[in-house]
Amino acid sequence: MLQQVVNGIIIGSLYALIAVGLTMVYGILRILHIAHAAVFVSGAYLGLLVYTYTQSLILALILAAVGCSIFGWLIQRFLYTPLLTEARIVPLIASVGLFILCEDLFRLLGGPYIRAFKVDLWFDKLIFFDTVVTAHQCLIVIGTAACLVSVYFLINRTKLGLAWQATAQDMDTAKAMGINIKQVINFNFIIASSIAAIAGVLTAINYNSVLPTMGSVPAYKMFAIVVLGGLGSIPGTIAAGLIIGMAETIMSAYFGFIMPRDAIAFSAMILILIFRPQGLFGKGV
Amino acid sequence: MLKAENLSVYYGAYRAVADLSFEVGQAELVTFIGANGAGKSSTIRAILGLADRIEGEIWFDGQNLKNVPSHERVKMGIRIVPEGRKIFPELTVLQNLQMGAYFIKEKARFNRNLDWVSELFPILIERKNQLGHHLSGGEQQMLAIARALIGEPKLLLIDEISMGLMPIAVDKAFELIKQVNAEGMTILLVEQNAKKALTVAKRGYVLETGRIVLQDTASNLQQNPLIKKAYLGG
Ligand SMILES: Nc1ncnc2c1ncn2[C@@H]1O[C@H](COP(=O)(O)OP(=O)(O)OP(=O)(O)O)[C@@H](O)[C@H]1O
Ligand SMILES: [Mg+2]
């Protein structure tokens, strides 16, 4: 049981990392940024590329974050910003289109097969009684915690973070207070894309694989997670990521015969939409 | 200090404000009066660069504001008390005030201004860690005024200060406007409560369906039989 909880936390924290970016983008632009999953996959490929050449995990994480920030910023600048005045479905469709296009690009550039992402850490695993925590799992927990603490710090303890919160609550008034909205949007996409990149690298390490379609399950699952957490709520999204990761792991270990693993997030989403549409932690939209 | 020439404000193809020309001098207190939908808020928002599309020219401190984005205008010293208060609901009172003083970098200067607005509105400091949406309507209006004042406005735009305040608080608010104006702050005041507005203002413009139909000193407007009938209740 404890082993399943550990595995659940690992999966859940990776989900949380991906979904936080989605919720941040929604919070400011009110766009469902499905192409965020493409940013996540490009993070995994970039990380693998850098790691293969340098054998440095730190460098792989940093360069993947930088590369993905640029990618995310480009999406914002050239896809979303021109479409902001259109009906909300238009940028959503554009986002889905870009995601599909990117999957094909990854296939063309990276090859249609699975690439291994094997990282050697300085220890192998920790064993507490009969619970095994691998070194890779430790890495994921530390990496996730570091990312989430940084996001918390940036949002709650910096001036730009305050402007971010104000803009998410009321963009028009934030403008009237003298906030440079473009700067807030850039800040938003840099944070969201950086942590998606880190999530991509960590996920690749966790499964020891990078493949063109590794974004498709997260693409729809992150959607379920942000609905569960309350669209736009960062703490809600983190909690929802952990809950889904945990529920999936435990249910598939003990009740795997009832429904397939990936259906769990969606059953939760449907129940939430019916009974509590503002999300478990949301305050209503 | 502020000057508009042939200002028109559009919402899509609809022209809400047509060919407005007006002026607010240094340290002057000017009021816009007009019925619902006359275009007062649209004009105020255009001055701050918040309108979708305008025609005509706006000048502030000798500078043409064409192509100057909102945040630069705020930096130049234009502040607003927006219609409907527009407090950030999930920020604390203190954070709302920080938003009003976003361009004030020095901590000491911010604290000095904070002391000043806390003297004006002691209730806000008692509640400084409460979320904006937990304040009552009247308290939110005080916060909206404090949030504008704390940023040291050169030009203060006020879109209906009396809204949601009880009569004694309305008197206090107008008293405050008069006082900060006497100390040299330039103010453009939009009001439903024309009677009150004309007692504090030096000059006034009367707006009807997006056009200025009359402009005069406040005392002349108070005497004007047409204004008396339409806006002062008899
Ligand atoms: N966002 C908008 N979209 C379309 N039309 C608008 C919008 N805002 C205002 N209008 C129109 O512009 C005109 C002027 O509105 P405005 O809000 O400036 O009036 P106002 O004088 O401030 O009125 P009130 O006293 O009710 O606040 C009105 O006819 C209104 O319907
Ligand atoms: Mg108005």
Side-chain angles (χ1 to χ4, degrees), chain B residues 35-42 83 159-160 190 192:
Chain B
N36 292 127
K40 306 180 296 293
S41 300
S42 305
E83 180 170 39
D159 200 343
E160 301 196 4
V190 156
Q192 292 271 341

Side-chain angles (χ1 to χ4, degrees), chain B residues 27-202:
Chain B
E28 207 181 14
L29 201 173
V30 170
T31 184
F32 277 15
I33 57 181
N36 292 127
K40 306 180 296 293
S41 300
S42 305
T43 308
I44 289 257
R45 290 174 53 81
I47 295 168
L48 209 44
L50 299 171
D52 295 347
R53 185 160 78 83
I54 69 164
E55 274 170 10
E57 316 264 287
I58 305 174
W59 301 76
F60 176 69
D61 251 355
Q63 191 181 337
N64 192 331
L65 294 185
K66 190 163 266 172
N67 303 324
V68 178
S70 305
H71 61 96
E72 291 294 339
R73 299 184 194 203
V74 175
K75 225 182 215 167
M76 291 165 77
I78 308 180
R79 299 282 183 280
I80 188 170
V81 178
E83 180 170 39
R85 318 187 254 270
K86 299 293 170 64
I87 294 308
F88 296 107
E90 301 288 330
L91 294 186
T92 64
V93 168
L94 187 62
Q95 286 173 323
N96 267 283
L97 292 171
Q98 284 167 345
M99 287 300 295
Y102 199 76
F103 286 111
I104 293 181
K105 299 265 186 306
E106 308 85 359
K107 188 97 183 107
R109 193 161 142 215
F110 175 79
N111 285 334
R112 210 163 50 234
N113 295 356
L114 184 63
D115 287 344
W116 176 51
V117 299
S118 345
E119 260 170 50
L120 297 174
F121 305 105
I123 187 84
L124 295 180
I125 284 319
E126 282 167 33
R127 314 235 154 146
K128 69 176 188 217
N129 293 321
Q130 278 193 22
L131 293 181
H133 69 101
H134 288 156
L135 298 185
S136 77
E139 288 164 349
Q140 288 187 14
Q141 181 68 14
M142 292 181 212
L143 178 54
I145 299 168
R147 185 177 63 178
L149 289 178
I150 201 170
E152 302 173 10
K154 282 198 210 160
L155 169 65
L156 179 60
L157 307 171
I158 305 177
D159 200 343
E160 301 196 4
I161 199 161
S162 58
M163 197 156 116
L165 293 179
M166 56 187 185
I168 185 161
V170 172
D171 290 344
K172 262 181 79 179
F174 276 97
E175 214 35 63
L176 175 63
I177 294 177
K178 228 163 119 177
Q179 181 198 329
V180 293
N181 174 246
E183 288 164 10
M185 193 181 292
T186 310
I187 299 177
L188 176 55
L189 172 69
V190 156
E191 247 323 308
Q192 292 271 341
N193 190 339
K195 203 176 207 159
K196 276 268 172 213
L198 290 174
T199 60
V200 294
K202 187 169 154 232

Side-chain angles (χ1 to χ4, degrees), chain A residues 91-224:
Chain A
L92 174 62
I93 292 169
S95 191
V96 173
L98 178 68
F99 174 54
I100 295 169
L101 175 75
C102 284
E103 279 200 331
D104 283 327
L105 277 179
F106 294 136
R107 208 179 333 265
L108 277 174
L109 295 172
Y113 38 78
I114 299 178
R115 289 168 175 272
F117 197 146
K118 190 153 167 35
V119 174
D120 289 318
L121 295 166
W122 46 272
F123 66 96
D124 200 37
K125 57 185 163 229
L126 304 173
I127 300 174
F128 304 99
F129 303 102
D130 52 356
T131 305
V132 181
V133 184
T134 68
H136 292 153
Q137 289 178 324
C138 290
L139 173 73
I140 289 167
V141 170
I142 293 168
T144 311
C147 283
L148 295 179
V149 169
S150 315
V151 170
Y152 176 85
F153 178 83
L154 287 168
I155 297 278
N156 290 295
R157 292 282 181 273
T158 67
K159 219 168 168 185
L160 201 50
L162 181 66
W164 182 90
Q165 292 183 58
T167 307
Q169 290 168 32
D170 183 344
M171 187 184 280
D172 191 60
T173 306
K175 239 183 186 167
M177 296 296 118
I179 301 309
N180 183 347
I181 302 294
K182 276 189 193 151
Q183 204 179 32
V184 170
I185 292 176
N186 292 343
F187 169 84
N188 189 60
F189 272 85
I190 286 171
I191 296 180
S193 307
S194 300
I195 59 178
I198 291 168
V201 175
L202 294 179
T203 304
I205 292 173
N206 191 41
Y207 296 110
N208 188 19
S209 60
V210 178
L211 67 160
T213 55
M214 68 186 282
S216 35
V217 170
Y220 56 76
K221 211 171 275 175
M222 68 184 181
F223 191 58

